[in-house]
Amino acid sequence: ALPETTFQISAPDANFAGLSFDASNLALGQQVVVHGTYTVNTDTLDTVDAASIYLRLQMVQGNFLSLTRVESDGRSGAFSLSPCCSLLQGAAIPVITNSNTAFLNVFGLADLRPQPTLLVLGLPFFLPDGGTINGVTVPAGSRVVLAQQVHQLQ
């Protein structure tokens, strides 16, 4: 990214924790959309001078590991997900939910089980410095997903 590159979130309503998105929290495995000037190079890799980079909603498939927090509404809170994607090297991902998170084939956080597999649709962030999101501590260097939808497969 160039110093003048703008960073935006393609689904701002899904960023219920108000996390920032910039060059410091780009990480392997995120799906982004890049707008810019594409240059074909014959002797080296092709390049893109990015004018803007958009973080988009992404589906993460994995298995429920543990419930971290659940609020009285049964939807707001967090759980740990073991991703199926080998690109993420099996590191557990905190999934943060809120009262607007849709749960499919399950009533809420307390009903999640290790099997069957989950599909989580949300915004994936990398937090180099960690932080606290909705009362859940996220360690430095962690990935986190703000879930718009949690779908337990049958």
Side-chain angles (χ1 to χ4, degrees), residues 36-99:
T37 304
Y38 182 82
T39 303
V40 176
N41 297 307
T42 55
D43 296 334
T44 61
L45 295 174
D46 295 350
T47 61
V48 176
D49 289 331
S52 57
I53 298 174
Y54 293 86
L55 180 64
R56 57 184 291 239
L57 288 171
Q58 182 172 332
M59 189 71 72
V60 181
Q61 181 177 354
N63 293 314
F64 172 81
L65 288 175
S66 64
L67 187 59
T68 308
R69 181 183 179 116
V70 61
E71 298 292 329
S72 60
D73 66 2
R75 295 178 174 274
S76 302
F79 65 93
S80 291
L81 182 78
S82 174
C84 294
C85 175
S86 61
L87 182 64
L88 301 178
Q89 300 173 345
I93 298 175
V95 176
I96 311 295
T97 61
N98 73 357
S99 60

Side-chain angles (χ1 to χ4, degrees), residues 1-2 5-9 20-34 50 52-56 58 124-128 141-143:
L2 303 172
T5 301
T6 60
F7 289 81
Q8 299 179 37
I9 297 172
S20 63
F21 176 61
D22 57 33
S24 72
N25 50 19
L26 275 174
L28 187 66
Q30 286 174 312
Q31 294 178 2
V32 296
V33 176
V34 178
S52 57
I53 298 174
Y54 293 86
L55 180 64
R56 57 184 291 239
Q58 182 172 332
F125 286 89
F126 173 68
L127 301 178
S142 293
R143 300 168 194 276

Side-chain angles (χ1 to χ4, degrees), residues 11-23:
D13 293 349
N15 187 10
F16 55 82
L19 297 177
S20 63
F21 176 61
D22 57 33

